[in-house]
Amino acid sequence: MTTRTVGASSADLTWDAIDWHRVKKSVHRLQMRIAKATREQRHGKVKALQWLLTHSRDAKLLATKRVTSSKGARTPGVDGKCYRTDSAKMQLAQSLKQRGYRAKPLKRVYIPKKDGQRRPLGIPALVDRAMQALYLSALEPVSESTADINSYGFRPHRATIDAIEQCFNVLGRKSSGTWVLEADIQSCFDKISHEWLLKHIPLEKRILKQWLNAGYMEKQTLFPTPEGTPQGGILSPTLANMALDGLELAAQAASKSKLYVVRYADDFVVVGKCKMELENEIKPAIQRFLRERGLTLSPHKTLISNVNQGFDFLGFNVRKYQGKLLIKPAKKSIHAFLRNIRSLIKSQKTAPTDRLINMLNPKIRGWAYYYRHVVAKQTFGYVDDCIYHTLAQWARRRHPNKNFAWIRKHYYCSRGFRRWIFFAPTTIGGEKKTLELVKAQHISIKRHVKIQAKANPYDPAYREYFAKRKKLKLRTGELYRYWHVNKTGLGNKWLWYER
C-alpha cells in the first residue's frame, strides 16, 4: 500500500505524507521576497512578509522538522518534553502560534572550555526552539542581505575555511600588510545589550523580548537574564552576527590606508600596514563600536602581532616564512586533539578492538578533514605516529605475557606497500570484513575555493552560483562515508554526510 503525498494545506495532512520538497520551496520563495525587500530598503514590506512567513503552515512544519531531527532533539528543556513520534511532531507544528505564546526559562548546563573553565549553555524547551527556528527563517534573509561581506561564522554556505582562505588572500601577497590585530570580545553572547537588540533587530518585539528575558533555571531556582543572548538558542548566533555587522565598515572608516577585517562570529582579525595605526586609531574605533552594543574587548586576549612571527586564528596558525605565507594546524589544536585521542584509548582498556576503531575513526577523519585544505601533510604524519605509539602501548598493556611478534600478528596487518595497519575483524551486513584504523595522512590535501564575499543564497542572481558550488562539493569528494555505531550496538550502518 503506497502512502499518498499531500500538500501542506490539506486538512488530512499527516507527518509521513508531507511533501518536504514543496514545503522547502514554498518557504524559500517567501524568504527571497523578504531579501529583495531588504535590499530595496522597503522596511514596511519586510515586516509584512515576515508576518506572512511566521504564520505560514509550511514554515511551521519546516521549523518543527529542523528541531526534531537535529542532534539535540532528545535533550529536553525545563518542561522535560521531547517530540519523537510523528503525531507529536505534528502537534508541535500546530501549536506554534503567536497568540498566547509565553517563552519558558532556559535549562542551564555547563560545558568545559580549553582553558579549564566552564562555558554556560542555556537550553530552551523544544517548543521554544521550534518557535525560534520559525522566526529565524524570517530573520535570516534580512541578516544575509545586510551582513558584513567578510563575516563567515554561523551563516549558510559559509565555514571556517572560508575565513582562513580570506586570511590567505589578504596576507599572502608581497604588498600585503604585516601587522594583525587579534581581537577577542569578552563574553560576547553573555553581554550583548537587550536594549540595542530590541531597537535594531527587525523581528516582532514582543516575541524577541520574551526570549531575551526568559531567564534560566539552575538547581530549581529562576535567575533573570538582564543582558546577553543564551548560548544554545537557535536564534542566538544570528542575533550576535547582526549585532556585530558594521564592525568592518567602522574599522575601515577609521583607517587612512587599506585595511582588512576577517570575522568568524565573535572572533576576528584586522590586517593593516602600520602597528601604531592599529593601536591608536583602529582599536579605539572598534571599542566605540562595541560599547554601543554593551560589549568590550578582552584586554588580555586582544593582541597586535606581526605575520612574520605568526598568529593563531580558529585553530590554524598563520605565518610568513621568509616572505611566503603558510597556514598550518595550530600547535594548541594538535595537542588538544592528541590528548583527546590518548584519553579515549586509555579509557577503553578492555574494549573490543573493532569498537575502539569505530570510536577513533570518526575523530581522526573529522579532525583531518577540518585541516585538509591547508599545509597539513607533515602534521598528519606526526599525528598518525603518535596514535600508533599510543595503540602499541594499549596492546602491550592488554597482553603483558605476549611478545611483540604475537601482538603484531593479532592487531596489525599489511596491504600492498602499507605496513602496520591497525585492524580488527568484524561483521557488516552478515559479511565478514576487516575494519581498519583511518590514517590522517591518507586524506588528501585539497585547496578550498572560497565563497564569493557578496554571495547571498536568497538572491536569485546567485542561484546558479550556489548550484555550481554544490556540484563542486560532490565532484571533489565533499561527501564522506562513515560507519555509524548505535549506542546499543544494534543497527550499525554506513551513512553519508556532508561537511
Side-chain angles (χ1 to χ4, degrees):
M1 181 179 178
T2 58
T3 303
R4 182 171 62 90
T5 302
V6 294
S9 60
S10 302
D12 59 343
L13 180 65
T14 57
W15 189 262
D16 60 346
I18 297 173
D19 183 354
W20 289 111
H21 177 73
R22 190 205 63 80
V23 168
K24 291 177 182 178
K25 192 174 180 180
S26 171
V27 172
H28 189 67
R29 191 184 301 115
L30 261 178
Q31 288 177 318
M32 293 185 74
R33 292 178 63 190
I34 293 172
K36 182 182 178 182
T38 303
R39 292 192 299 271
E40 296 172 350
Q41 297 187 354
R42 300 172 64 184
H43 305 299
K45 188 169 184 178
V46 169
K47 187 175 181 179
L49 290 171
Q50 284 182 323
W51 189 95
L52 278 177
L53 185 58
T54 55
H55 288 73
S56 162
R57 191 178 188 184
D58 287 342
K60 293 177 181 180
L61 290 170
L62 203 57
T64 302
K65 185 177 189 295
R66 174 174 178 173
V67 299
T68 56
S69 61
S70 66
K71 292 181 180 179
R74 295 188 178 183
T75 304
V78 292
D79 58 357
K81 290 183 179 180
C82 287
Y83 299 82
R84 299 180 184 178
T85 65
D86 288 352
S87 59
K89 293 174 184 177
M90 183 58 70
Q91 184 180 3
L92 175 61
Q94 293 170 348
S95 68
L96 300 182
K97 298 178 180 179
Q98 288 74 14
R99 181 175 295 180
Y101 171 74
R102 185 69 182 173
K104 296 178 176 60
L106 308 170
K107 184 170 74 173
R108 176 57 62 94
V109 297
Y110 294 90
I111 59 173
K113 296 172 66 175
K114 293 180 181 179
D115 57 4
Q117 298 180 354
R118 297 193 304 165
R119 184 190 305 277
L121 285 182
I123 301 178
L126 214 62
V127 63
D128 292 326
R129 276 179 254 172
M131 281 292 284
Q132 289 190 25
L134 176 62
Y135 275 85
L136 177 60
S137 66
L139 182 62
E140 198 169 68
V142 179
S143 66
E144 283 299 300
S145 302
T146 59
D148 287 349
I149 61 173
N150 288 307
S151 164
Y152 299 96
F154 302 113
R155 294 181 61 191
H157 304 287
R158 284 167 169 79
T160 309
I161 191 60
D162 290 304
I164 296 302
E165 279 295 317
Q166 179 63 12
C167 288
F168 182 85
N169 292 341
V170 301
L171 286 165
R173 297 185 295 271
K174 291 184 179 180
S175 59
S176 300
T178 57
W179 292 100
V180 179
L181 170 64
E182 306 172 57
D184 181 85
I185 301 176
Q186 192 168 11
S187 303
C188 178
F189 282 86
D190 298 329
K191 298 293 184 180
I192 296 178
S193 167
H194 285 185
E195 183 180 351
W196 191 95
L197 290 174
L198 290 169
K199 184 177 179 180
H200 294 90
I201 300 299
L203 209 61
E204 190 171 333
K205 306 304 178 186
R206 185 183 68 84
I207 301 293
L208 179 59
K209 188 175 183 179
Q210 284 194 47
W211 290 329
L212 294 176
N213 298 326
Y216 65 91
M217 294 291 294
E218 187 174 12
K219 296 180 180 180
Q220 299 181 344
T221 304
L222 177 63
F223 294 89
T225 49
E227 59 185 4
T229 62
Q231 295 190 51
I234 293 176
L235 197 63
S236 297
T238 303
L239 294 179
N241 262 339
M242 295 187 74
L244 295 176
D245 284 337
L247 185 147
E248 186 173 348
L249 294 177
Q252 290 173 347
S255 175
K256 298 176 183 177
S257 58
K258 193 68 174 178
L259 196 76
Y260 297 95
V261 179
V262 184
R263 180 168 67 85
Y264 187 92
D266 58 335
D267 294 326
F268 64 95
V269 294
V270 184
V271 179
K273 294 186 176 182
C274 178
K275 181 180 180 181
M276 295 302 294
E277 184 183 50
L278 288 175
E279 179 68 41
N280 300 326
E281 297 180 25
I282 307 305
K283 186 177 176 181
I286 291 174
Q287 289 174 326
R288 289 193 297 271
F289 174 87
L290 294 175
R291 197 176 301 119
E292 296 176 4
R293 292 148 176 82
L295 302 171
T296 57
L297 290 176
S298 172
H300 304 294
K301 296 181 181 180
T302 301
L303 309 169
I304 296 179
S305 55
N306 193 289
V307 72
N308 294 309
Q309 277 71 52
F311 65 95
D312 290 349
F313 183 50
L314 303 176
F316 296 82
N317 180 260
V318 184
R319 182 179 174 183
K320 272 190 174 181
Y321 298 82
Q322 297 179 349
K324 184 177 181 180
L325 184 72
L326 296 180
I327 301 178
K328 303 178 180 181
K331 288 184 179 180
K332 290 182 180 179
S333 176
I334 299 169
H335 295 159
F337 172 69
L338 290 175
R339 279 197 304 270
N340 189 336
I341 292 294
R342 287 167 179 149
S343 176
L344 173 61
I345 293 173
K346 289 178 182 179
S347 68
Q348 302 296 318
K349 294 179 180 179
T350 60
T353 310
D354 59 339
R355 180 184 171 188
L356 178 62
I357 293 176
N358 276 324
M359 296 173 73
L360 289 173
N361 277 354
K363 291 180 177 291
I364 298 170
R365 187 182 290 112
W367 189 85
Y369 275 129
Y370 184 77
Y371 290 106
R372 69 184 298 219
H373 303 290
V374 298
V375 184
K377 204 66 177 179
Q378 186 176 358
T379 302
F380 287 173
Y382 169 74
V383 165
D384 286 335
D385 190 53
C386 291
I387 294 173
Y388 164 80
H389 286 293
T390 306
L391 286 172
Q393 292 176 359
W394 175 85
R396 285 197 294 266
R397 192 182 297 115
R398 284 165 66 96
H399 307 283
N401 299 324
K402 300 292 183 180
N403 59 32
F404 199 72
W406 185 94
I407 291 175
R408 177 178 179 177
K409 179 181 178 182
H410 283 77
Y411 289 101
Y412 298 93
C413 67
S414 301
R415 195 179 305 279
F417 293 103
R418 296 174 59 198
R419 299 288 186 270
W420 296 96
I421 303 172
F422 192 76
F423 83 106
T426 187
T427 303
I428 300 175
E431 296 183 16
K432 291 185 177 181
K433 294 184 179 294
T434 299
L435 189 63
E436 298 178 359
L437 183 74
V438 168
K439 279 186 172 290
Q441 60 185 335
H442 291 160
I443 294 173
S444 59
I445 304 296
K446 293 186 178 180
R447 183 69 182 269
H448 176 73
V449 180
K450 190 185 84 70
I451 191 171
Q452 288 183 14
K454 296 182 179 180
N456 185 345
Y458 302 108
D459 187 344
Y462 291 98
R463 183 184 288 117
E464 185 178 350
Y465 170 74
F466 282 107
K468 286 182 179 179
R469 280 186 69 85
K470 187 175 182 181
K471 289 181 180 178
L472 180 65
K473 279 188 175 183
L474 294 171
R475 189 165 61 249
T476 56
E478 292 292 324
L479 281 177
Y480 309 116
R481 199 179 184 214
Y482 73 103
W483 180 244
H484 171 74
V485 182
N486 193 297
K487 290 183 179 179
T488 62
L490 303 174
N492 300 345
K493 56 185 177 180
W494 287 103
L495 295 177
W496 292 91
Y497 70 103
E498 182 180 351
R499 294 185 67 83

